[in-house]
Amino acid sequence: MNADAATQVGARATEALGLLIDAVEQIPSESWDLPSNLEGWSIRDLVGHVTGSATKVVTLVEGGDIWQRPSEPDDWKCDDPAGRLRELAARLDGALPGADLDATRPSPQGDVPLHRALAYPAADLALHTWDLYRSRQQAFELPDDLLGFCRQLVELVPDDMLRRPGGFGPARAVPEGATPTARLMAFLGRSVD
């Protein structure tokens, strides 16, 4: 990957974290324990899970030790989720400019360059931001650059890996006139109608 493309991964992670913070700040207090669009998870559970993904992004950039499993919602619940995410965003803003995006970091695929290790958790931030809006019956479109980043990443993952247990469900039908974001989310097993 060229230096510009590697830098774009950091930009997409920062952008996705900002969108996530905006989504979390809009959740009314009475909605936290309502079901999310992800089966078996409340909105609070979803925010807990994606806070783990945000923590993983920051930890990778800072060069800390990371865990090699999906983030469990209970691991990351806190009294002020938006505040926790803002703290993570500040740490990311501080660490990213000096980060060596080619430095080796652990990932589920073994040791890889940082820019590659960041791709999946950064996409997780974006995709779950859509889930938060969808859980509250609100429309949300990923910005073009972030949508393209997520789409490109998804296209690189073999289908059996993409749809393994704990991954994404089977692709769903896409309604006529669906937006590009809705098309991606339906491909990832989300209901978009």
Side-chain angles (χ1 to χ4, degrees):
M1 177 178 281
N2 66 39
D4 186 49
T7 302
Q8 288 303 312
V9 174
R12 296 296 72 81
T14 300
E15 179 182 20
L17 184 51
L19 293 171
L20 175 64
I21 292 167
D22 290 345
V24 170
E25 288 177 334
Q26 294 178 39
I27 300 170
S29 58
E30 65 273 9
S31 296
W32 282 95
D33 294 315
L34 295 176
S36 76
N37 67 317
L38 300 178
E39 189 175 328
W41 280 8
S42 68
I43 291 175
R44 184 182 313 276
D45 293 334
L46 175 55
V47 171
H49 165 76
V50 76
T51 299
S53 296
T55 303
K56 189 174 276 189
V57 166
V58 173
T59 303
L60 283 165
V61 172
E62 291 176 340
D65 294 327
I66 63 162
W67 55 101
Q68 294 299 323
R69 60 172 177 75
S71 297
E72 295 296 326
D74 288 338
D75 294 344
W76 304 100
K77 288 181 183 175
C78 66
D79 292 334
D80 182 12
R84 173 73 175 133
L85 291 168
R86 284 190 299 275
E87 172 196 321
L88 290 167
R91 285 175 50 196
L92 183 61
D93 287 345
L96 198 54
D100 177 359
L101 294 173
D102 291 319
T104 302
R105 296 290 192 271
S107 82
Q109 294 83 35
D111 288 344
V112 298
L114 172 57
H115 61 82
R116 191 166 144 205
L118 282 176
Y120 290 104
D124 202 51
L125 300 177
L127 300 174
H128 286 315
T129 296
W130 183 90
D131 287 325
L132 285 171
Y133 283 103
R134 178 69 178 188
S135 296
R136 296 184 49 234
Q137 290 77 47
Q138 294 179 317
F140 177 75
E141 289 298 312
L142 291 171
D144 290 342
D145 287 346
L146 192 54
L147 176 63
F149 170 78
C150 292
R151 186 182 302 124
Q152 182 179 20
L153 184 64
V154 166
E155 290 171 356
L156 293 174
V157 179
D159 204 57
D160 61 325
M161 292 285 297
L162 190 68
R163 306 205 190 276
R164 72 188 188 288
F168 296 99
R172 295 194 178 207
V174 180
E176 188 174 325
T179 67
T181 298
R183 288 182 182 287
L184 174 63
M185 299 310 286
F187 178 75
L188 295 173
R190 289 352 190 232
S191 173
V192 297
D193 48 8

